[in-house]
Amino acid sequence: MHAPALASVPALAPVPALAPAPASGSAGGSVPVPVPVLVDVSRADAAGTPMSPGDRAPALVLAVHGSAVAEAAVTVGRLCDAVEALGGVRPLVGHMDHQEPSLAEVLDGLSGTGRRAVVVPLLLGDGFHRTVDIPEVLAAPRDLDVTVTKGLSGAPDVALALYGRLREAECRAGGRADAVVLAAAGSSRAGGNEGARTAVGQLSALLDAERGPVPVLAAYCSSSEPTVAEAVALLEAAGHRRVAVATHLLAPGRFTHALASAGAWTVAEPLADHPRVARLVLRRYTAEVLHHDRTLHLAAA
């Protein structure tokens, strides 16, 4: 089950610091951490004043990896529902592989409409898609004012979502993990695995604050080592008997399906439809909208 829809809230507040909290006992529950309050960017300008009814918010375009697995589109759809409920703007989804429409097709559809676009890379690492493919798509000639935000790599909200999903998996399994493998997609590109390495440290800190030291190892589904199965075996050889997999992946696909055969005690669900990810996406979008508008205001002054 996915997390419940989020209620819309009216103003912008700082992101709370990482802090563990007990997991909900329900199957789809999330970790009850402080909720950051977000601006409804469809109804406020850079100064926070309401827009007139004729104004349109910049398009929020999610650049997603894409998957041949039908569950992936359903999961991303739940993320879009949550973003819309929080911020009043419905994301458009452009895919890098496997699915349509492509990111280029979505941006082409906005070209010439007079509407600005903000691309938020729904990516947990800065691999080839983030550093090469997306910039190439954005550089193509079209009549569109488009900017791109940072991806999700290394964000505290990702660690909190990982923590929440891990606690849900532990509740299903009926215990607590004594070791954790963080399963990331993997990249052979320089810096492509930094998001996973950062998440290991963040998740380790959360678990340490909650229950004391717990080993957390990074492992990869492709392109890097160790594999998830190798990391699970390494921890079991060291005497750990409840090795959990924290899934550092966004949506169901061949990588998440393969985790079931890694030999772990329990495997957490992917992250895209966790409430923390919706908040992070909207925060990336809001920050870029406000930065752009303030830059234009200063240039005109």
Side-chain angles (χ1 to χ4, degrees):
M1 294 176 63
H2 61 278
L6 301 168
S8 183
V9 285
L12 187 65
V15 184
L18 284 175
S24 163
S26 62
S30 61
V31 176
V33 291
V35 179
V37 185
L38 300 167
V39 67
D40 184 340
V41 290
S42 70
R43 293 189 286 275
D45 65 12
T49 55
M51 290 180 176
S52 67
D55 288 329
R56 290 186 298 170
L60 194 175
V61 180
L62 291 178
V64 309
H65 186 280
S67 172
V69 176
E71 301 162 83
V74 175
T75 300
V76 172
R78 288 196 291 264
L79 168 63
C80 292
D81 292 342
V83 170
E84 185 176 23
L86 274 172
V89 58
R90 179 75 184 182
L92 304 175
V93 180
H95 304 90
M96 306 310 301
D97 286 310
H98 304 297
Q99 290 172 264
E100 295 180 344
S102 68
L103 176 60
E105 289 169 339
V106 170
L107 297 180
D108 289 345
L110 292 168
S111 181
T113 65
R115 191 179 184 193
R116 187 154 57 88
V118 175
V119 175
V120 178
L122 195 69
L123 302 168
L124 293 175
D126 291 329
F128 198 83
H129 280 328
R130 175 68 187 88
T131 59
V132 177
D133 290 338
I134 291 176
E136 285 183 354
V137 171
L138 267 61
R142 53 177 68 88
D143 181 16
L144 179 66
D145 181 359
V146 57
T147 53
V148 62
T149 74
K150 295 189 295 183
L152 312 187
S153 175
D157 277 310
V158 172
L160 286 164
L162 277 167
Y163 175 84
R165 289 289 191 240
L166 176 61
R167 294 292 286 116
E168 292 166 8
E170 289 177 320
C171 287
R172 291 193 299 270
R176 287 195 172 187
D178 59 9
V180 176
V181 173
L182 185 140
S187 174
S188 59
R189 194 165 185 82
N193 292 326
E194 284 306 309
R197 295 189 185 104
T198 299
V200 164
Q202 292 169 328
L203 181 58
S204 180
L206 288 166
L207 293 171
D208 183 68
E210 179 205 11
R211 65 186 73 171
V214 176
V216 181
L217 298 184
Y220 303 95
C221 299
S222 69
S223 303
S224 300
E225 294 180 339
T227 67
V228 177
E230 288 170 345
V232 170
L234 181 66
L235 288 167
E236 289 181 339
H240 299 283
R241 292 295 172 259
R242 295 188 304 279
V243 180
V245 170
T247 303
H248 191 258
L249 301 166
L250 285 163
R254 62 186 180 91
F255 286 164
T256 60
H257 290 177
L259 295 180
S261 60
W265 170 66
T266 189
V267 178
E269 295 297 314
L271 304 177
D273 55 352
H274 191 282
R276 280 281 170 181
V277 175
R279 295 171 189 139
L280 176 58
V281 165
L282 192 58
R283 192 176 298 112
R284 290 278 195 261
Y285 167 76
T286 303
E288 181 60 33
V289 169
L290 298 180
H291 172 74
H292 184 279
D293 289 349
R294 287 166 182 155
T295 301
L296 290 179
H297 177 73
L298 290 173

